[in-house]
Every structure is written in C-alpha cells, then in structure tokens.
Amino acid sequence: MKFRLILIICTIFCGVNQVLCQALPPVNPQLLKSAWPAFWITSPANQQREYGVYHFRKTFLLPAAGKPKSFLIHVSADNRYRLFINGKAISSGPARGDLFNWFFETIDIAPYLTEGENILAALVWNMGSLAPVAQVSNQTAFVVQGNSAAEQMVNTDVSWKVKKSKAYTPCALDNGERLKAYMVVGPGDQVDGKLYPWDWETLEYNDASWNAAEELTHPQPVGYGTDNLWTLAPRNIPLLKESILRFPVIRRTNSIKVNKDFLTGKRPLTIPANQRVSILLDQQSMTAAYPELIVSGGKGSRIKMTYSEALFDKQDNKGNRNEIDAKEIKGNYDIFIPDGEGNRKFRPLWFRAYRYLQLDIMTTDDPLILNDIYGMKTGYPLKMNASFSSNDPSLQEIWKVGWHTAQLCAGDMYYDTPYYEQLQYTGDSRIQALISLYTSGDDRLMRKAILDFYHSRTPEGLTQGRYPSNRLQIIPTFSLFWVSMIHDYWMHRHDDAFVKQFLPAIHETLEWFHNRVDQKKKMLGPLTWWNFVDWDNFNDWGTAPGAEQGNSSIITLQYAYTLNQAAELFRAFNHPAQADYQELLALELNAHTYWYCYNEANGLIADTPERQTYSQHAGIWAILSGAVTLQEGQTLMKKILNDKSIGQVTFFYRFYLTQALKKAEMGDLYYKELRPWRDMLKMGLTTFAEKPEPTRSDCHAWSASPDYDFLATICGIMPGTPGFKTVLIKPSLGELTEVTGTMPIPAGKVSVILKRNGKEGIRAEILLPEQTTGIFTWKGKEVKLHEGKQIISI
C-alpha cells in the first residue's frame, strides 16, 4: 500500500518524466481527506496580520528503543518558516500558493534525531502589509503534523512554546523610490543583536518565560472543510537546497586594508573602534543567496549590507557592469547591530539577489571582528541535462549566461526577475518553461506554473497576469499565453489527464475575447484591463495601439494564433465541433485583420486599421497566426527585419520573432539576430537583462530564450507529434558550419552532430531513444528517422 501511494503521488506531481521524479515521501491518506489532528498555532495577544517574527519550540522524548528509521512530519506556515531540528536548519517553506492551495512540505527528520530529548524549532515570519506582492496571506500561523500515530508527539498545539522577536524591524522601505523602479520583494531586515534570543533553536536554551502557543483551528486538505483559513495541498515541487558560495574578490575599500584570506574564511578582519569603513564585494556574477555574516565583539556597531545588480553613476546609469569607478551602490539592504558577544551570525529572513554586496560599518568603542562572510546559494534544483556547441565559440558564452539567468529566475515558482519582483508572469513563464524542458527535462515547475495560473482565474474567465499575487493584475494577452503554455506542455509531454482538466478554462478564456469581437470589422473591439505587449514601444505601459479604442491587429492576430492552438487541443480530446468553431473564427479574424491593416504600399501590417503606426509585432503575429501565406510571410519578414522605422521588439518578443522566422522557413536568419545578446555580454552582464539599455532588471527570465532556440532552432529539435512521441529535426544553421546538440525528451535523449557539406549540403549524425522515430528535414528534403544511431548525408 505504501509503494502504491508513492507511485500515485509521483504520477500526479511529476508527470511522465520518471527519470527526474524522485519518489516523494508518502503522505498518510487520511491526512488528504479529513481534518488534521494538529492545530494551526500562533502567538497569543499579537496582531496576527501585522509585521512580526516569531520563534516556536517543542521538546519531545524518543523512546529508549532507539532512533527511528523514519519520522515523517508535514510542515507549513503563513507567511514562511525555517525549520530546525536539534539546532540544525533542515528546510524552508512553504512553496508559495494561495489560500485555496496552501502548500505543505513533507520531511523525514529521522536523520537529525537522537535518542532521548530532542528539540523541534521554527522561525516564522509575517511581513504584513510590507509583504512581497507574490506573498498571499491570511494571518500569522504555523503547523506541524506527524504522519502517523508514531509521530504525533510533535503535532502543533498548546504544548508548543512561542516568543515574538523584538530584535527584528523592517528596513529599506523606500527601495522603489531610491531605485526609481517597481520593486516589490518585501523589506530588508534590521536585527538588533542584544534583543535576539541567541541559541533559541537548541535544547540548552531556557524557554521557561515563553508563552504557550495559541490554537487556531484544525488544518483541512483541499476538498474538505467548511470554515477553512487555509486549504492545504502537498508541495508539488522539490525542496530548495543551499550551498556555500564564496566572494571571489574585493573591489573597493574605504579606510581599511583587507587581506584576501578574509574572503576564504581563513583570516578574520578587525574593524577598529570608532571607525567608518566601507567594503565592496563582487561576486563577479549575479546570484541568489542568503548572505551570512559572522562577527564577534563590536557591541553597538552598525553593519549595513547593500545588494545590487550593478553600480550607478551620478546620472543613474549602469554602463559596463564590470566598471566601478565614479559609481556608487544603491539598492535593497539589511542592517545588523551586534551585541558584542562572539560568533554571532546574521542571515536575512529571505534570500537576496545581487552581484555586488557592500558592507558599510560603523563601530563605537568596541572593535568589531568580521569572522567570515559568504552566501548560501539557493534556488530551484534545475540540472543541466542538455549540451550545445558549434564552430562559433562565442555562442557558448550566450548558452552559459542564458542558463545562469534561467537558474536565478527559478525558485518556488518562476520569477520574472529575482531582484525587483520575484513574480510569476504568464508571458515570462511560457518561455521559462520551454527552457526548462529543453535544458533540464524537468517539467515540475512548468506544471506548478500552469496550475497556479489556473487557480488565479477571475469570474470573467481570464487568468491573472501574475500569480501567486496579493494584488489583482489582469493582462489579457498573458491569458492567451497561458493557453499557449498548455499547448506547449501537450506537445512536449504525454500527460492527457493533466491537460484535459484545463479545457473548460481555455474555452472561458477564449470566449472573453470572442465576446469582444467588433462584429462590423471582425477584429477585437475595445478591451479592458492592461493589454501589455512589449516594452519600448507604443506607450509607457507597453500597451498595443487599438487595445483600448478597439481593432488592435497585434492582439487580434495573437488571439487567432491561440485559437488555432486551442483547436488542436480540443480536437485531440474529442471535441471536434469546438475545434471547428475555433479554427473558423481564427480564419475570420485573420482575413479581416489582413484586409483592414495590410498596407500594400509599404508591405507591412499596421497596428490598427487607421494605418498610422507599424510594428514588428503585428507582422510577427500575422505570420504565426496564418494570416499570410508562406510567400507573403517571407516578404513580410524581410520588411520587418530591415525597416528600423517601425516599432522594434525587445528581448521578450524576440522569442516570437524567432518563432515567426521558423514559420516563414527563414530560420537560417536566427544566427544573425543574436547581436542583442552579444551586446549584453560586452556590457559586462552576467545574466540577460529585461530589455535594451537603459534597463531596470539585469536578470530577466524571458531574455534567456537562446538556451531554448540553440536546440529548437539551430539544432532544430522539436516535437513532431504531441507528447514528443516523434521527433522533428529541422536545423537552421545560418552561417554556422558545425553544430552539436543533445537534449532530454520523455523517451530519453536526442543527439545531433551537424556539419555543412558544401554550400547547400549537410552531414547529420543523429541518435534517437529506443522506440522513437521522426523526420529530418533540410532545405525541403525529408528523411525518415528510426531509433538509435543514423548518419544522413544530403
């Protein structure tokens, strides 16, 4: 029975990728269909929806029979927790969700237990009104539930002790104002060492003065309960791990000399009494980590730790990210005030994203010893299971930096940017998910994103533009990308049960647009909400012309493109009438948009029927939606690539520009379109930016698309049929003469070695997994592929 339950959970949460799916710890079936015996607990006599940091403790005895082989517990908190067993930190959570799907972690704590007395402790915090926008909340609370009767001795109830910390106060509350940017990751932490209950998580600490926890309510799982504060669901992604990351270099100091051994932890650094000292550390690449600072002495000192992606000159320009002369740091920060004792460790509650970290230290009468400083790198455990190389070695740096960008933008959900927002947007997530599938083969974060947006739907039928989120934001174009994301999953994974559940929601989303079709012009009429398309075009909000007034060719054609994808889904799941209706509507929208917006004089698709403005975006969607024939699409593509007077795509929409190149059989031009990424590398960026200079974010997920396109476009590896049951290999080498690529698919790995043979020919060595077939196509010629190794010469 236990094995069967593990297998069921693995299938539900990991899809069909059994290679990547490690068996999740089993959850007692009774806990998934009824109230838990444990209680949600909180701190008594405190404002439970306000900012607060809390320490929870529970001591318990293990029987003399010895340490158990397994001791499973289920843990969650609002907002978040960090769990300790016998003084050792073992996990953090929960993964972000919403009140209808509040995730809990299942952890086997047996390896950390000892015979006799043990201590289970948790640091729990609620940012209140200062919480990140991605953080949904009800009130401060914590829960632990033992998996069976053997573990229920640790269940949260009044036997737990709790103390509200007086050491924490929020700081860096003006980040957005100082950076002149939208920044919603929450406040920094100011910690007063003399008020902190040091060693509180250990058995030796005396908690006699602490309060008994207050019981709130019994937890309820999804599908149960009548008065739920949170509805619990098992975590559906792996736990995030941490690993130490040392600073490689000190770039600048003020009023002090620092030995390089300080950065390796071999030699402490003493800051004399009554000094003001500044030390600028350079990680030399962007990272997401918990900085940990260990100090001794320095009672009353003040240590400010400022984190930044880059330094700024007096005009607030970043310039080359490697250069620091005449530049200063500004950004999110934390403050630690030591209490004067030895080996005090400061660590912020939440991770920080940074390349540069500056220590600004002010001592009083007591010298301060910096024992050590380093980062504990964290993030979703994406693993590289693909490879790419070519005769152009510069592509390797783009591949490497793209992968680094994708890693930093993956945590307990996909992040648009780890520094400024840490929000999961549909438009970003579609591209991120494809990168994940192609480079790692891991589909779990993609599945979570699809489900998160499914849970975000509003009564109108649209998904929210970003989710989880404690603020409502609807971007209708992003609801269309959600449908595209489901279509992507269907093409790359054989998982019919998962896909089928979304068909009613897909229909509702598409009907929202259908109900807004201008019946006279047969284009979309006026649309509500934020109809974002792309930055650096249109208006300050990236809104498509005609979105609010009606008859936007860009959004109408994107709608038609999405209708065609939906039709494939509905036809595959035995809804032929619905599929026919969607295809006919797409044809009608395409035909009328082309009629009203195509300008024969300049050969372009206008943004609206008034033909006052033109953009690459309109042409891209005309090609992708099928509004133009192949020949017309090729002519149109040449126009939009060469005419710099029209609205240009930024990094986000370069993904769709590449898709349009492939649809127009012009994929060989992709290699020439890599200049923006080359330019970013020349500017010293170690991750890819949100948009061309000047950019807010130096690390933005949608700009990592080359890691998908090097395999899907240059190598040309794509699913030939849904579920990647067959493979289509259609290379677009451009000026490249040699390319090698390997990537995971559900059946195994696909490998290609491609070498040009003269000007028009090619020699291809291809390896397909067992029981996998496909087609290789090169300049109009097709060759059938079989499992195993084959050599093709054209």
Side-chain angles (χ1 to χ4, degrees):
M1 175 63 187
K2 182 178 288 187
F3 173 78
R4 179 173 177 270
L5 181 61
I6 294 173
L7 183 61
I8 290 171
I9 294 173
C10 191
T11 302
I12 291 173
F13 292 127
C14 299
V16 296
N17 198 341
Q18 300 301 321
V19 175
L20 286 165
C21 180
Q22 300 174 352
L24 299 174
V27 180
N28 184 340
Q30 191 63 33
L31 298 176
L32 298 177
K33 61 182 181 181
S34 62
W36 292 6
F39 284 89
W40 280 102
I41 60 172
T42 192
S43 177
N46 284 298
Q47 293 179 310
Q48 298 303 329
R49 293 181 176 173
E50 301 299 323
Y51 176 94
V53 180
Y54 301 86
H55 306 274
F56 289 86
R57 283 170 51 95
K58 163 79 174 183
T59 55
F60 61 100
L61 286 171
L62 287 181
K67 195 172 80 169
K69 292 183 179 179
S70 175
F71 198 102
L72 287 179
I73 62 172
H74 313 297
V75 190
S76 192
D78 185 348
N79 297 164
R80 305 189 71 86
Y81 71 87
R82 188 176 186 222
L83 190 69
F84 301 83
I85 305 293
N86 293 324
K88 182 177 178 60
I90 62 168
S91 73
S92 297
R96 280 183 175 143
D98 56 29
L99 296 180
F100 182 75
N101 289 272
W102 195 272
F103 295 108
F104 66 87
E105 282 74 42
T106 299
I107 306 164
D108 187 354
I109 63 173
Y112 310 98
L113 298 177
T114 61
E115 292 183 21
E117 197 172 31
N118 291 265
I119 178 75
L120 184 58
L123 184 67
V124 176
W125 62 92
N126 184 345
M127 293 290 103
S129 61
L130 303 175
V133 169
Q135 182 64 58
V136 177
S137 177
N138 192 331
Q139 68 164 82
T140 302
F142 176 60
V143 64
V144 174
Q145 171 66 56
N147 192 53
S148 67
E151 296 110 343
Q152 290 199 16
M153 65 180 74
V154 300
N155 285 5
T156 41
D157 54 24
V158 291
S159 67
W160 277 71
K161 293 288 195 73
V162 61
K163 178 181 178 67
K164 183 177 181 180
S165 179
K166 297 179 180 179
Y168 285 87
T169 53
C171 64
L173 302 180
D174 61 343
N175 281 331
E177 180 181 344
R178 284 183 296 107
L179 291 167
K180 300 176 184 176
Y182 184 65
M183 188 168 183
V184 289
V185 295
D189 301 324
Q190 178 169 312
V191 177
D192 189 337
K194 67 179 181 294
L195 300 176
Y196 190 85
W198 297 102
D199 301 322
W200 66 274
E201 68 273 33
T202 65
L203 267 173
E204 294 73 22
Y205 185 85
N206 184 354
D207 61 11
S209 64
W210 288 28
N211 293 321
E214 179 182 336
E215 296 175 347
L216 290 172
T217 184
H218 290 290
Q220 295 282 0
V222 170
Y224 298 88
T226 61
D227 194 25
N228 298 357
L229 297 178
W230 306 265
T231 304
L232 289 171
R235 184 184 180 105
N236 53 11
I237 58 172
L239 292 170
L240 309 188
K241 296 182 179 180
E242 298 179 17
S243 59
I244 192 167
L245 184 67
R246 290 277 176 189
F247 288 95
V249 65
I250 297 171
R251 293 295 299 275
R252 186 166 64 198
T253 61
N254 178 28
S255 301
I256 195 168
K257 291 183 178 180
V258 183
N259 188 290
K260 62 181 180 180
D261 285 345
F262 168 63
L263 294 183
T264 64
K266 296 179 180 178
R267 178 181 294 187
L269 174 66
T270 299
I271 312 296
N274 302 305
Q275 295 291 310
R276 290 179 178 267
V277 169
S278 179
I279 303 171
L280 179 65
L281 306 177
D282 184 359
Q283 193 68 61
Q284 295 191 324
S285 66
M286 272 290 295
T287 190
Y290 293 92
E292 293 191 349
L293 173 67
I294 303 172
V295 305
S296 297
K299 184 177 182 179
S301 299
R302 184 179 186 272
I303 307 167
K304 181 180 180 182
M305 303 169 66
T306 304
Y307 316 96
S308 182
E309 295 181 315
L311 304 188
F312 298 83
D313 64 19
K314 293 181 179 179
Q315 289 74 43
D316 281 337
N317 295 317
K318 298 178 183 179
N320 189 296
R321 304 322 194 250
N322 296 322
E323 297 172 357
I324 67 169
D325 292 343
K327 293 182 180 180
E328 297 296 332
I329 197 169
K330 62 178 179 178
N332 193 21
Y333 63 85
D334 297 308
I335 296 172
F336 179 49
I337 303 171
D339 65 343
E341 299 298 320
N343 291 307
R344 297 307 203 196
K345 180 190 288 187
F346 169 79
R347 169 185 163 119
L349 296 171
W350 189 235
F351 77 83
R352 306 303 185 211
Y354 57 88
R355 171 177 170 173
Y356 292 99
L357 189 162
Q358 182 163 301
L359 299 171
D360 289 299
I361 302 168
M362 181 181 68
T363 57
T364 55
D365 294 337
D366 187 15
L368 172 69
I369 300 172
L370 304 184
N371 300 98
D372 205 357
I373 186 169
Y374 51 84
M376 294 301 294
K377 183 174 67 172
T378 188
Y380 184 89
L382 281 175
K383 293 182 179 180
M384 175 59 80
N385 290 308
S387 63
F388 174 84
S389 62
S390 73
N391 63 291
D392 180 354
S394 70
L395 297 191
Q396 286 305 111
E397 189 64 17
I398 296 175
W399 170 268
K400 176 184 174 183
V401 173
W403 171 245
H404 187 49
T405 305
Q407 286 182 298
L408 294 183
C409 293
D412 56 359
M413 56 187 185
Y414 285 125
Y415 301 140
D416 61 331
T417 160
Y419 188 85
Y420 286 92
E421 297 186 45
Q422 296 174 22
L423 283 164
Q424 182 173 254
Y425 287 86
T426 332
D428 306 60
S429 296
R430 185 197 180 189
I431 299 171
Q432 289 173 274
L434 288 170
I435 295 169
S436 296
L437 293 181
Y438 268 66
T439 55
S440 72
D442 191 336
D443 59 29
R444 292 170 290 183
L445 206 55
M446 181 183 192
R447 290 167 57 87
K448 182 180 186 296
I450 291 172
L451 285 167
D452 284 342
F453 292 120
Y454 179 62
H455 298 145
S456 80
R457 288 172 300 136
T458 66
E460 291 185 347
L462 294 178
T463 60
Q464 294 185 43
R466 61 193 187 193
Y467 204 76
S469 173
N470 57 40
R471 302 179 191 173
L472 179 70
Q473 182 192 82
I474 296 176
I475 307 176
T477 53
F478 279 24
S479 292
L480 295 176
F481 287 134
W482 178 68
V483 178
S484 296
M485 195 175 181
I486 297 168
H487 184 272
D488 293 340
Y489 185 85
W490 173 67
M491 288 299 295
H492 292 81
R493 290 292 181 268
H494 180 60
D495 193 358
D496 288 354
F498 183 74
V499 174
K500 188 177 180 180
Q501 67 180 310
F502 303 117
L503 295 182
I506 290 172
H507 171 73
E508 285 189 5
T509 297
L510 297 177
E511 281 301 287
W512 185 89
F513 288 90
H514 189 199
N515 291 334
R516 286 155 179 81
V517 171
D518 179 341
Q519 293 304 314
K520 181 179 179 181
K521 285 189 171 71
K522 300 298 182 182
M523 295 176 65
L524 286 173
L527 303 176
T528 51
W529 303 109
W530 180 25
N531 287 277
F532 173 81
V533 172
D534 195 6
W535 294 120
D536 287 2
N537 283 293
F538 319 131
N539 61 19
D540 290 342
W541 290 94
T543 302
E548 297 175 358
Q549 299 81 14
N551 306 141
S552 164
S553 69
I554 297 170
I555 303 177
T556 301
L557 294 170
Q558 185 191 351
Y559 176 39
Y561 161 86
T562 312
L563 282 166
N564 285 326
Q565 289 182 322
E568 292 183 19
L569 290 170
F570 278 87
R571 197 174 302 284
F573 290 96
N574 300 314
H575 298 283
Q578 181 75 355
D580 289 344
Y581 152 77
Q582 289 164 341
E583 287 174 343
L584 287 172
L585 179 56
L587 280 171
E588 183 178 59
L589 293 167
N590 278 338
H592 284 78
T593 303
Y594 182 83
W595 171 262
Y596 280 107
C597 297
Y598 178 68
N599 186 331
E600 191 171 356
N602 63 16
L604 293 169
I605 303 289
D607 295 329
T608 65
E610 290 76 21
R611 304 182 186 179
Q612 298 297 308
T613 62
Y614 297 83
S615 66
Q616 289 183 317
H617 309 74
I620 286 168
W621 286 120
I623 294 168
L624 290 177
S625 68
V628 294
T629 65
L630 175 59
Q631 185 176 357
E632 290 170 335
Q634 291 176 338
T635 302
L636 178 58
M637 181 56 73
K638 291 175 184 176
K639 290 277 188 181
I640 66 174
L641 287 177
N642 295 320
D643 191 342
K644 303 305 179 184
S645 69
I646 65 175
Q648 301 290 296
V649 297
T650 66
F651 303 154
F652 171 35
Y653 250 74
R654 281 193 168 272
F655 171 83
Y656 294 98
L657 176 65
T658 303
Q659 297 297 305
L661 282 171
K662 293 168 70 173
K663 181 78 179 287
E665 303 287 350
M666 299 170 68
D668 278 330
L669 295 178
Y670 171 72
Y671 178 68
K672 289 183 177 179
E673 294 297 317
L674 290 170
R675 182 176 175 180
W677 286 274
R678 299 183 191 277
D679 289 344
M680 282 188 275
L681 295 178
K682 290 177 183 177
M683 290 287 290
L685 278 101
T686 61
T687 49
F688 290 132
E690 181 176 8
K691 65 185 189 69
E693 294 287 293
T695 183
R696 173 191 63 153
S697 165
D698 277 6
C699 181
H700 214 88
W702 63 31
S703 299
S705 58
D707 274 44
Y708 165 75
D709 277 313
F710 283 10
L711 295 168
T713 300
I714 294 178
C715 294
I717 306 170
M718 294 174 287
T721 51
F724 237 130
K725 292 180 182 177
T726 65
V727 178
L728 172 64
I729 301 179
K730 190 176 182 179
S732 298
L733 301 187
E735 286 73 38
L736 295 169
T737 57
E738 295 184 18
V739 168
T740 300
T742 302
M743 63 163 285
I745 67 172
K749 280 194 173 182
V750 175
S751 296
V752 299
I753 301 174
L754 306 168
K755 294 184 179 181
R756 281 192 176 275
N757 184 7
K759 187 176 181 180
E760 297 295 327
I762 193 168
R763 183 185 185 276
E765 185 177 313
I766 298 171
L767 183 64
L768 296 187
E770 291 183 4
Q771 300 182 344
T772 303
T773 61
I775 294 173
F776 178 84
T777 176
W778 176 259
K779 298 191 181 300
K781 297 180 181 180
E782 291 188 353
V783 179
K784 290 185 177 180
L785 301 174
H786 55 77
E787 67 175 61
K789 184 177 178 180
Q790 51 233 287
I791 297 175
I792 299 166
S793 184
I794 297 177

